[in-house]
Amino acid sequence: MPVPAPAAKPEGEDLLPVDGEPGSTELTGLFLEKPPDNVVAVSGTDVTFIAKVDSTTLTRKPTMKWLKGKWLDLGSKAGKHMQFKETYDRNTKIYTYEMKIIKVVPGDAGGYRCEVTAKDKCDSSTFEISVEAAQQAEQTDILSAFKRADAGEDEGDLDFSALLKAAKKKKPEKEEPEIDVWELLKNAHPSEYEKIAFKYGITDLRGMLKRLKKMKVEPKHSEAFLKRLDSCYSVDKGKKIVLKCEVIDPNVQVKWLKNGQEIKPSAKYVMEANGNIRTLTINKASLADDAAYECVVGEDKCFTEVFVKEPPVTITKLMDDYHVVVGERVEFEVEVSEEGAHVMWFFEDIELHKDMETTKYRFKKDGKKHTLIILEATLDDIGMYHAWTNGGHTKGELEVEEKQLEVLQDIADLTVKATEQAVFKCEVSDDKVTGKWFKDGVEVLPSERIKMTHIGRFHRLVIDDVKPEDAGDYTFVPDGYALSLSAKLNFLEIKIDYVPRQDPPKIHLDTTGNMVSQNTIIVVAGNKLRLDVEITGEPAPTVVWSKGEKPITESEGRVRVESRKDLSCFVIEGAEREDEGNYTICVTNPAGEDKAVLFVKIVDVPDPPEHVKCTSVGEDCATITWEAPKFDGGAPLKGYLMERKKKGSSRWTKLNFDVYDSTTYEAKRMIEGVLYEMRVFAVNSIGMSQPSLSSKPFMPIAPTSEPTRLSVHDVTDSTCSLKWLAPEKIGAGGLDGYIIEYCKDGDTEWVVANKDLCERQWYVVRDLPVGEKINFRVVAVNVAGRSPPAMLTQPVTIREIMEHPKIRLPRELRTKYIRKVGEKINLTIPFQGKPRPVATWYKDGKPIDEKIINVRNSNVDSILFIRSAEREHSGKYELVLKIENMEDRATIEIRIVEKPGPPVNVRVTDIWGFNAALEWEPPKDDGNCEITGYTIQKADMKTKEWFTVYEHNRRQNCTVSDLIMGNEYMFRIYSENFCGLSEEPRQSKNTAKIAKTGLVQKQTPYKEMDMSCVPKFTQPLVNRSVVAGYSTAISCAVRGFPRPKIIWMKNKMIIGEDPKYLMTNNQGVLTLNIRKPSTFDGGKYSCMAVNDLGTDEVECKLEIRIATDPDKK
């Protein structure tokens, strides 16, 4: 076994999620045991890794993945080299996962990761494998650790040489001094890594770079970066990733490089500078973005690597099963979620690929469709075939049977005359079978007179112009089968009688050939019936054919009569069922008549079976029934052939090659949870019918396993309460409910306790006989039927167990229970005791009045309910629990409280300086609880506005300070308890007047300022020229005190109350508004300001213009 190396921090453990990318699962510690961090394995030995997961807190079964490198799923590599195992301990609920590598090779070296997910939780553990040679040389070649062996599991997966130009053939190398590849890589630019790897034959470049990162390198002090890029980033294909670093100088320009080449800004690469932070955003990451990136500031730079992870490829169309015969072509087809995905094919545990020695397998890719083709199936190909992707798996079963050839129509003996045509015909079940014809043991070769044809399932030998030497035994031998069909050709010689005579007519019937009994002829529907009847008699008789009473006279058509010398031919082309019946041939001449009756029986393939349906299902099987066809084709049924297919698929799989004689069939080897359809063919000696209508889709479903942990919860004199847990295995059929059954100990007849299915995991069985020993069992039910029963190990005696009464008083009720008036009181007091105890409530030693207080008692608790609490509900409540002469008591003190009344006798007891002393007495009504304090307010007698002086004052006296001298104050006080302040305050009986102390205020003389001022215009009127018909205004500004009188004049004439003019004065700004002036309103306007101190005047000229039409100029 490998020896664990000293623990090292696995690479990738410090990777952070990409900014902006939402996390889908919560990272939690699910592992109980992880693989060791570093393992050194010896080449050629086996190594096993174990991981354990605790599932007690998980809602679903965890999923484990073993990965190599970044994302290579090792589940697709399962085979002889790598084996995976999963076990589950039901007692501890611990899953154990094992990965075993058989005969370790150098190619197995590298980083690995095991990842477990369960709904919204996940956890992962990384470890590394190092491979050492069994016998190390004196000088170890460091490159050999990174060169994959030919038989390595991951051969070629990371081979960079395929990306480089083809190398020329190397000449014999001369001995050169050893080169330290580590130093080359450490000093080389990342863009040179591939060149060095190709030159020195290193195929596992990434593995070597990981080793290089782990080597201790002294960190250099950065003069440009405050925070460098992270060591590496990981992103899913198609998502966005942000590379972020922080520089010292906020104004510095940076360059971003990818594999040594500068990146230009574009829609894909977005570069941003925000203060000291520099970011590179890569949108819609592709595999081409999996590279090394640098941020360059002057001569300083920082590096990182971006790993682009492809999403898992899932299988969208599952593989179908096949049932074929030897030599048939088989095509297993699957569809995957992405084009160009890699699909691995396996036969049992053997991987199938193009480089195999055998040529029997072909692999085809068409977009998302992948096909495995087996050219000619053999018995060695029987088994299970698998298709794996890195995110899915499907399988299909191949069944191969030996070919069995069935003779549907044998060769019939023929009797023909000279120059006539002889036709031998047979029908076999396989239309691809060829064969040879023999006469008396000698192969018959084709010629102008002899022709052999093979059309579908029919083989014919046609001999034209029959000669006497053609008579003999003819045999048809199918190729590849130990089978032969024989018939005899009889040559009929014609004798000519030259002596004229009269003979009565005579019908000579040949009872050989198609006649199975006297005068009965059997014809296969669709075949041709030619009945040659020899007739003798002199003179030549007249022949009449009839069916029933209807004569047949047609000489052409499907049913016709052909007449020759001494021969009458009755022909039916393409026989149909309507042609069946009695046919009469009547021959007459002057010497007499003869008559013969023939019965023609038409046989055909049967009608298809009817009413195909599934009557029951199992875990991997289903029972199918059907009804026999209404018409058997005129021949006894030999049996049936069955086919099935998955719903949605178009390929039917044969279930049997030998005919099955019953109308009930059990189909096996099906996949649970998959919908199937069935159809049936009927077979008789003629052939196979058309397929029946497909059955309704059905799904193989197994009943659940038995319920677990069945136990007795409670027993009384007539009931028994049972509890259990759900079955461990439920399956695709789900769980509909449970059936509970019981029987007396010693009996075998089980009685169902519940009429309807019980969906809960507990049930109370009632009406049981007292003192009897009863066995119980519980059965889970789903669409597949009943599960095995879960039974109690011992019978249960139906008798109630005496249990002392015990009151379980809640903790909050063990102290005083306080509620406000009007609130709801709902007390639930649990208790125990058997049989059911009698609960009685008392208040202050007397039974409570249930009209005022509601009480409800059950088997396990007692509830006391008061809809709206009042003060009179306060008191000590006692619950008494009795069972016969045993009892238990519990006391609860309930206090109903409300707001208190105001305090009493509030008075001012003393006044000094700016202070007043108050005293009072407690309120008469404390609200049924302790007074917690008082609130004191004051008010000035002048304003009568109240201000709070003290809150929560616990004493019954206080001193009010900072009163104003000369003011008189009154006071009021509120009481306070648990419910709050009293509704009304109590005002003091007397007031407190703060007397003046005799100080006199000396006022300074005040001389009022003279504001008088002569009117003076600060803004004169301005000359204006306006257009007639448009309102205008002229303005000026004036100051003066007392406020001057304003007079407006036009041409020295005072403007009176003319409505055409509007005069305003706003804080000394004077405005004259003229409404729609005309030429008459032009002239000199003046404004005069007059007060007691003087006068001032301003004037302006107003010109009125006539508007002119520009179009008339």
Side-chain angles (χ1 to χ4, degrees):
M1 288 297 292
V3 180
K9 189 173 184 180
E11 183 185 353
E13 189 173 273
D14 293 331
L15 296 185
L16 298 175
V18 180
D19 294 344
E21 291 294 319
S24 61
T25 55
E26 176 190 358
L27 192 61
T28 58
L30 298 178
F31 284 108
L32 288 179
E33 180 180 336
K34 300 180 179 180
D37 292 343
N38 291 289
V39 174
V40 179
V42 179
S43 179
T45 61
D46 299 346
V47 62
T48 303
F49 298 91
I50 298 176
K52 294 184 178 181
V53 176
D54 185 5
S55 63
T56 53
T57 60
L58 303 181
T59 58
R60 291 185 181 177
K61 177 184 175 182
T63 302
M64 171 66 79
K65 284 187 178 181
W66 296 89
L67 308 171
K68 182 176 181 182
K70 290 185 294 181
W71 59 79
L72 179 60
D73 190 349
L74 297 179
S76 61
K77 300 284 187 179
K80 292 184 177 180
H81 184 60
M82 283 196 172
Q83 297 179 359
F84 302 92
K85 183 180 179 183
E86 173 187 335
T87 57
Y88 176 63
D89 189 340
R90 294 183 179 179
N91 296 325
T92 60
K93 294 188 177 181
I94 293 177
Y95 286 88
T96 303
Y97 301 92
E98 294 184 11
M99 179 181 75
K100 186 174 183 180
I101 303 177
I102 309 297
K103 295 184 180 179
V104 177
V105 296
D108 295 326
Y112 290 77
R113 184 170 85 254
C114 57
E115 183 179 284
V116 61
T117 57
K119 198 176 181 181
D120 55 349
K121 297 182 180 181
C122 72
D123 197 3
S124 64
S125 174
T126 57
F127 57 95
E128 187 162 335
I129 300 177
S130 302
V131 180
E132 293 182 353
Q135 294 180 353
Q136 295 185 355
E138 294 181 0
Q139 295 182 351
T140 304
D141 183 4
I142 195 168
L143 300 182
S144 63
F146 298 93
K147 294 181 180 179
R148 295 188 173 89
D150 292 339
E153 186 71 20
D154 297 322
E155 178 185 357
D157 283 353
L158 301 175
D159 190 355
F160 282 81
S161 61
L163 304 175
L164 304 176
K165 296 180 180 179
K168 297 180 180 179
K169 294 183 179 180
K170 295 184 179 180
K171 298 179 181 179
E173 297 182 356
K174 299 179 181 179
E175 292 186 1
E176 295 181 359
E178 293 186 1
I179 297 175
D180 190 350
V181 182
W182 292 112
E183 289 299 322
L184 282 177
L185 290 174
K186 282 164 56 177
N187 299 325
H189 193 274
S191 61
E192 300 291 326
Y193 287 164
E194 292 183 1
K195 183 177 179 180
I196 296 173
F198 181 77
K199 181 177 180 180
Y200 294 98
I202 300 174
T203 55
D204 193 4
L205 177 60
R206 287 190 180 272
M208 196 164 185
L209 291 176
K210 289 181 181 180
R211 291 282 187 90
L212 188 64
K213 284 184 179 181
K214 292 184 179 180
M215 298 177 65
K216 294 183 179 179
V217 180
E218 294 183 2
K220 297 180 180 179
H221 176 69
S222 174
E223 297 181 355
F225 292 96
L226 284 174
K227 183 179 179 182
R228 293 177 173 270
L229 294 169
D230 293 340
S231 60
C232 57
Y233 294 83
S234 176
V235 62
D236 290 334
K237 181 181 177 182
K239 296 296 183 67
K240 178 179 75 174
I241 187 172
V242 179
L243 312 183
K244 184 186 295 184
C245 64
E246 191 173 348
V247 297
I248 294 176
D249 184 2
N251 299 318
V252 72
Q253 297 293 326
V254 302
K255 289 184 179 180
W256 291 92
L257 307 181
K258 173 184 174 183
N259 287 341
Q261 302 296 322
E262 185 175 355
I263 302 174
K264 301 297 182 182
S266 63
K268 183 176 182 64
Y269 299 102
V270 180
M271 305 172 189
E272 294 178 318
N274 185 6
N276 295 76
I277 297 176
R278 302 291 184 267
T279 58
L280 170 64
T281 303
I282 305 174
N283 294 312
K284 295 183 180 178
S286 63
L287 294 181
D289 298 318
D290 190 300
Y293 291 81
E294 302 173 46
C295 182
V296 180
V297 178
E299 297 297 328
D300 202 354
K301 58 183 72 174
C302 58
F303 304 89
T304 188
E305 274 193 279
V306 173
F307 299 102
V308 180
K309 183 165 60 175
E310 287 189 279
V313 178
T314 58
I315 296 176
T316 57
K317 181 181 177 183
L318 301 179
M319 195 187 305
D320 290 327
D321 298 332
Y322 276 84
H323 197 153
V324 298
V325 297
V326 173
E328 282 191 352
R329 178 186 174 100
V330 179
E331 293 186 3
F332 286 108
E333 182 181 283
V334 298
E335 284 189 19
V336 296
S337 57
E338 291 190 12
E339 293 188 5
H342 179 56
V343 176
M344 301 183 68
W345 295 92
F346 283 83
F347 170 51
E348 299 296 349
D349 294 334
I350 302 172
E351 183 178 359
L352 308 178
H353 49 82
K354 294 181 179 179
D355 300 332
M356 298 179 66
E357 296 180 359
T358 178
T359 58
K360 69 185 302 181
Y361 299 108
R362 295 287 185 270
F363 303 89
K364 179 181 176 183
K365 291 184 181 179
D366 183 12
K368 297 181 181 180
K369 291 184 179 180
H370 294 251
T371 308
L372 169 64
I373 303 172
I374 303 175
L375 299 179
E376 293 183 358
T378 64
L379 295 179
D380 296 334
D381 297 326
I382 297 175
M384 196 69 69
Y385 288 78
H386 304 262
W388 291 86
T389 65
N390 61 354
H393 166 244
T394 182
K395 61 182 179 179
E397 185 179 11
L398 175 62
E399 294 184 4
V400 184
E401 292 194 6
E402 289 280 5
K403 289 183 179 179
Q404 293 184 359
L405 191 65
E406 184 177 356
V407 178
L408 302 180
Q409 181 179 349
D410 204 347
I411 306 174
D413 294 339
L414 297 177
T415 301
V416 296
K417 297 178 181 179
T419 72
E420 291 185 346
Q421 184 187 66
V423 179
F424 290 105
K425 182 178 71 172
C426 66
E427 182 184 0
V428 294
S429 59
D430 192 348
D431 57 356
K432 297 180 181 180
V433 170
T434 61
K436 296 179 181 179
W437 291 88
F438 295 85
K439 177 194 173 188
D440 298 328
V442 179
E443 184 177 357
V444 178
L445 299 177
S447 64
E448 294 183 359
R449 197 167 56 86
I450 301 175
K451 297 180 179 59
M452 290 169 283
T453 61
H454 172 204
I455 301 174
R457 297 181 298 183
F458 292 92
H459 296 261
R460 290 180 175 87
L461 173 64
V462 181
I463 304 174
D464 294 328
D465 190 15
V466 175
K467 298 179 180 180
E469 57 267 22
D470 293 329
D473 291 329
Y474 286 82
T475 305
F476 175 73
V477 179
D479 294 337
Y481 295 93
L483 178 68
S484 64
L485 307 177
S486 299
K488 190 173 183 179
L489 176 62
N490 298 314
F491 182 78
L492 180 64
E493 294 184 3
I494 301 176
K495 296 180 180 180
I496 301 176
D497 191 356
Y498 294 98
V499 179
R501 62 179 183 273
Q502 283 191 351
D503 291 330
K506 182 67 175 177
I507 299 174
H508 301 277
L509 288 176
D510 184 6
T511 57
T512 61
N514 288 337
M515 288 195 182
V516 296
S517 62
Q518 188 66 29
N519 297 348
T520 300
I521 302 174
I522 296 178
V523 183
V524 177
N527 286 0
K528 177 180 179 181
L529 170 64
R530 182 183 181 91
L531 186 60
D532 296 334
V533 180
E534 183 183 356
I535 299 172
T536 60
E538 288 292 340
T542 302
V543 182
V544 177
W545 288 86
S546 60
K547 180 181 181 184
E549 301 297 331
K550 182 180 179 182
I552 302 172
T553 59
E554 293 84 356
S555 60
E556 293 183 356
R558 190 178 66 84
V559 181
R560 63 184 184 272
V561 177
E562 297 177 358
S563 298
R564 299 181 185 177
K565 186 179 180 181
D566 300 332
L567 197 67
S568 180
C569 299
F570 177 68
V571 180
I572 300 178
E573 294 280 359
E576 299 176 354
R577 293 184 185 177
E578 293 77 12
D579 297 327
E580 184 174 310
N582 289 313
Y583 290 83
T584 303
I585 178 174
C586 181
V587 294
T588 58
N589 71 357
E593 73 172 7
D594 194 7
K595 183 183 292 186
V597 179
L598 302 175
F599 179 71
V600 177
K601 183 177 182 181
I602 308 298
V603 294
D604 196 358
V605 295
D607 288 346
E610 298 181 343
H611 304 119
V612 180
K613 59 183 178 181
C614 174
T615 58
S616 64
V617 293
E619 183 175 2
D620 61 348
C621 61
T623 302
I624 309 299
T625 62
W626 61 90
E627 295 179 6
K630 292 182 178 179
F631 177 64
D632 61 0
L637 290 177
K638 291 186 176 182
Y640 303 92
L641 297 176
M642 283 71 69
E643 290 184 350
R644 78 173 181 218
K645 75 176 182 68
K646 297 174 183 176
K647 186 180 180 183
S649 174
S650 60
R651 178 171 294 279
W652 290 90
T653 303
K654 294 181 181 178
L655 299 183
N656 63 316
F657 285 91
D658 297 329
V659 291
Y660 185 76
D661 55 2
S662 176
T663 57
T664 301
Y665 181 78
E666 184 178 6
K668 298 183 178 179
R669 307 186 73 174
M670 307 173 84
I671 301 174
E672 184 180 7
V674 176
L675 284 172
Y676 288 90
E677 295 177 358
M678 292 279 293
R679 68 182 184 184
V680 183
F681 299 82
V683 180
N684 63 5
S685 59
I686 307 304
M688 186 168 60
S689 71
Q690 292 295 315
S692 67
L693 295 176
S694 299
S695 67
K696 291 183 179 180
F698 60 91
M699 181 185 297
I701 297 174
T704 68
S705 60
E706 69 277 4
T708 59
R709 300 189 181 181
L710 175 62
S711 60
V712 177
H713 179 65
D714 191 15
V715 180
T716 67
D717 286 342
S718 61
T719 65
C720 180
S721 177
L722 303 174
K723 283 189 175 182
W724 61 89
L725 295 180
E728 291 184 353
K729 179 183 177 183
I730 294 179
L735 179 62
D736 296 337
Y738 302 92
I739 294 177
I740 297 88
E741 298 176 335
Y742 66 91
C743 75
K744 294 182 180 180
D745 190 24
D747 289 351
T748 57
E749 183 179 353
W750 290 90
V751 180
V752 178
N754 53 324
K755 296 181 180 179
D756 300 325
L757 290 179
C758 175
E759 297 182 359
R760 304 182 302 271
Q761 293 179 5
W762 58 271
Y763 189 78
V764 179
V765 183
R766 305 182 184 278
D767 300 327
L768 297 174
V770 181
E772 289 285 350
K773 290 185 177 181
I774 304 293
N775 289 309
F776 294 93
R777 69 181 183 185
V778 179
V779 177
V781 179
N782 65 1
V783 294
R786 294 163 54 103
S787 72
M791 298 185 61
L792 294 174
T793 56
Q794 294 180 350
V796 180
T797 302
I798 307 303
R799 181 178 293 111
E800 191 157 21
I801 302 171
M802 182 69 71
E803 184 178 352
H804 286 269
K806 180 66 176 178
I807 299 174
R808 302 290 186 184
L809 192 63
R811 185 181 298 275
E812 65 271 13
L813 299 179
R814 296 176 186 176
T815 58
K816 192 177 295 182
Y817 187 74
I818 300 176
R819 283 292 179 270
K820 296 179 182 178
V821 171
E823 288 185 347
K824 179 175 65 176
I825 297 177
N826 190 355
L827 304 182
T828 301
I829 313 299
F831 56 75
Q832 64 187 34
K834 290 184 181 180
R836 176 177 175 174
V838 178
T840 307
W841 285 90
Y842 296 89
K843 179 189 175 187
D844 298 329
K846 298 179 180 179
I848 63 173
D849 186 358
E850 294 191 0
K851 295 181 180 179
I852 301 174
I853 301 174
N854 297 317
V855 174
R856 185 190 66 81
N857 297 323
S858 68
N859 292 336
V860 294
D861 58 21
S862 180
I863 298 176
L864 183 141
F865 178 74
I866 302 175
R867 188 174 301 278
S868 180
E870 299 294 340
R871 289 274 292 272
E872 55 267 20
H873 292 144
S874 301
K876 288 189 176 181
Y877 289 78
E878 187 177 23
L879 174 61
V880 179
L881 204 63
K882 287 188 177 181
I883 300 177
E884 296 180 358
N885 59 347
M886 298 178 292
E887 70 174 29
D888 191 16
R889 295 173 179 263
T891 302
I892 304 171
E893 184 177 354
I894 298 178
R895 179 179 292 183
I896 310 300
V897 299
E898 62 180 342
K899 293 181 179 180
V904 180
N905 194 16
V906 179
R907 59 196 180 278
V908 179
T909 58
D910 192 9
I911 302 172
W912 71 98
F914 303 102
N915 307 308
L918 299 177
E919 290 184 2
W920 62 90
E921 295 176 3
K924 295 180 180 179
D925 181 10
D926 60 0
N928 203 23
C929 66
E930 180 185 0
I931 299 296
T932 58
Y934 300 91
T935 297
I936 298 95
Q937 294 180 343
K938 69 178 180 179
D940 188 351
M941 294 294 290
K942 297 178 182 179
T943 62
K944 294 187 178 180
E945 293 183 5
W946 292 97
F947 299 93
T948 300
V949 179
Y950 293 107
E951 289 182 329
H952 313 303
N953 182 50
R954 301 185 67 86
R955 299 192 302 272
Q956 296 176 16
N957 57 75
C958 71
T959 300
V960 182
S961 303
D962 299 328
L963 301 177
I964 299 174
M965 183 181 297
N967 288 353
E968 185 177 1
Y969 293 91
M970 55 183 176
F971 303 92
R972 67 181 183 184
I973 301 176
Y974 290 88
S975 302
E976 184 180 5
N977 67 359
F978 173 77
C979 297
L981 297 176
S982 59
E983 297 289 346
E984 299 290 337
R986 181 73 68 186
Q987 195 165 328
S988 60
K989 294 180 179 180
N990 51 349
T991 61
K993 187 174 182 180
I994 309 302
K996 297 182 179 179
T997 59
L999 297 177
V1000 178
Q1001 182 182 7
K1002 184 179 180 180
Q1003 296 183 349
T1004 57
Y1006 172 73
K1007 184 179 180 180
E1008 188 173 353
M1009 183 177 179
D1010 186 7
M1011 301 297 294
S1012 300
C1013 176
V1014 178
K1016 179 67 176 177
F1017 282 95
T1018 58
Q1019 184 68 32
L1021 292 172
V1022 180
N1023 294 335
R1024 296 200 63 183
S1025 176
V1026 298
V1027 178
Y1030 292 90
S1031 298
T1032 186
I1034 55 178
S1035 300
C1036 60
V1038 67
R1039 61 181 174 86
F1041 190 81
R1043 183 175 181 178
K1045 179 180 178 182
I1046 306 301
I1047 302 173
W1048 286 92
M1049 294 177 289
K1050 174 190 174 187
N1051 297 328
K1052 300 299 181 178
M1053 299 294 292
I1054 297 175
I1055 300 172
E1057 300 296 329
D1058 192 341
K1060 191 180 185 76
Y1061 299 96
L1062 176 63
M1063 293 165 279
T1064 61
N1065 183 351
N1066 185 12
Q1067 301 293 329
V1069 178
L1070 311 177
T1071 303
L1072 175 64
N1073 292 282
I1074 306 173
R1075 184 176 177 271
K1076 295 183 179 180
S1078 63
T1079 56
F1080 175 78
D1081 295 318
K1084 289 186 178 181
Y1085 286 82
S1086 59
C1087 181
M1088 180 183 294
V1090 180
N1091 70 0
D1092 295 340
L1093 299 179
T1095 303
D1096 194 9
E1097 184 178 359
V1098 291
E1099 66 178 14
C1100 70
K1101 185 177 180 181
L1102 179 64
E1103 180 184 357
I1104 307 298
R1105 304 191 311 274
I1106 302 298
T1108 58
D1109 190 352
D1111 296 336
K1112 294 181 179 181
K1113 289 183 179 182

